[in-house]
Amino acid sequence: MNTGILFATLSFFIWGMFPLYFHAIGEVPPMEILAHRMLWSLLFLAIVLSVRQQWGWLPKVLRQPRVLASFIASSLLLSANWFVYIWAVNNGHIIDASLGYFINPLINVLLGQLVLKEQLRRGQWLAIGVAAAGVMWLTWQAGQLPWIALILGITFGAYGLLRKTAALAALEGLSLETMLLFPAALIYVLWLTSHGANTFLNTEADSTRWLLAAAGPITAIPLLLFAAGARRIPMAVLGLLQYLSPSMQALLGVWVFHEAFPQPRLIGFLIIWSALLLYVAEGLWQSKRAK
């Protein structure tokens, strides 16, 4: 269990530091960052699969249209989540992006009830209701929905739902998703190159090239650490650890990137954080009661 906690904590810590990475390559347009993330991730995952001699699953999957269809859907959701997050970080919306991952666990619970017909306990319904009140408060204060947070929370929640019912494990599933996204990413990068707009080739900063190439391991390693940790620790512990990442992102947004965090916005966040505390406390109480 200690190893599992270490793996999961490392994964959430790396995700929590993502704003620093994307800000460091802020000169690269979000769509191009997304394309490079797909290309270099596939290269990194192909090396991992080759070292582990773990390619036997691929021919079987290619003969299963339903499995391919589910992973096409999950890859589209993942790419949409990545794009909105990258755009948010590079346009001064790190705190809004962190809110999306704060509300994500509650969206997961709601999707489980709506799609998988899982029964929600009263405490879980109450937590969802409090979080909805927080979102409505933020909407009223800003005059618009917190669309960045909602898109990130919903796309990652739907992605998690598809992966929960997927036929492949974490490494194989992520590899298949990047394989499906690879042709579109390659075509886009070649198109940029033909128009003289490929930042990877045109930039004068070698650090930008190295950081773009590092997108592969930076994307894949935390996902693999998360999968390894999730298999070793209880869901209650995993649920507590997952708030490390958005907490770090929110703090970076305020302290490092100096994003505005006025009192009305703080009140909305406090309402949503209260919903999360209620959700976690209810889960721990149910776990203790079951034991």
Side-chain angles (χ1 to χ4, degrees), residues 265-282:
R265 197 179 194 187
L266 175 61
I267 292 172
F269 269 69
L270 288 173
I271 295 171
I272 291 170
W273 287 334
S274 299
L276 293 173
L277 287 173
L278 178 62
Y279 168 72
V280 171
E282 193 272 347

Side-chain angles (χ1 to χ4, degrees), residues 20-254:
L20 296 175
Y21 169 72
F22 289 119
H23 189 266
I25 51 175
E27 66 172 289
V28 186
M31 186 62 76
E32 187 176 351
I33 295 175
L34 179 62
H36 279 286
R37 199 172 181 184
M38 296 171 186
L39 297 176
W40 295 107
S41 293
L42 182 58
L43 176 61
F44 177 79
L45 290 167
I47 293 171
V48 173
L49 288 170
S50 298
V51 170
R52 299 182 60 171
Q53 297 182 344
Q54 201 170 329
W55 288 100
W57 55 274
L58 186 57
K60 299 176 184 177
V61 170
L62 295 177
R63 295 193 294 268
Q64 301 179 55
R66 289 187 179 181
V67 174
L68 286 174
S70 70
F71 275 93
I72 290 172
S74 66
S75 64
L76 291 174
L77 286 168
L78 186 61
S79 59
N81 183 273
W82 285 352
F83 175 77
V84 173
Y85 181 80
I86 295 167
W87 181 90
V89 170
N90 287 347
N91 285 273
H93 296 285
I94 296 173
I95 297 175
D96 292 326
S98 72
L99 178 62
Y101 295 107
F102 275 121
I103 65 175
N104 174 250
L106 300 176
I107 291 176
N108 288 341
V109 172
L110 188 59
L111 286 173
Q113 198 275 336
L114 295 174
V115 179
L116 302 179
K117 306 303 179 184
E118 296 175 353
Q119 295 300 313
L120 298 187
R121 300 183 294 269
R122 290 182 181 179
Q124 292 175 317
W125 276 119
L126 181 59
I128 291 173
V130 173
V135 171
M136 286 188 287
W137 168 265
L138 290 170
T139 301
W140 181 65
Q141 287 294 324
Q144 62 179 12
L145 281 171
W147 62 271
I148 294 173
L150 290 175
I151 290 175
L152 289 175
I154 292 170
T155 53
F156 201 68
Y159 172 76
L161 179 66
L162 287 176
R163 290 306 307 268
K164 180 180 176 67
T165 57
L168 296 176
L171 175 59
E172 293 86 346
L174 181 61
S175 299
L176 180 58
E177 286 166 350
T178 53
M179 288 176 194
L180 293 169
L181 294 169
F182 177 81
L186 181 61
I187 290 171
Y188 180 68
V189 170
L190 291 175
W191 180 84
L192 288 176
T193 304
S194 67
H195 287 74
N198 188 336
T199 309
F200 186 86
L201 299 178
N202 298 339
T203 183
E204 296 180 359
D206 288 336
S207 59
T208 299
R209 293 191 185 90
W210 283 109
L211 287 170
L212 282 174
I218 287 174
T219 297
I221 288 174
L223 285 167
L224 298 177
L225 285 170
F226 173 78
R231 288 195 296 267
R232 291 172 168 85
I233 59 178
M235 286 301 295
V237 178
L238 190 66
L240 288 172
L241 290 174
Q242 74 182 78
Y243 298 116
L244 172 65
S245 175
S247 298
M248 290 175 60
Q249 292 174 17
L251 292 174
L252 286 172
V254 175

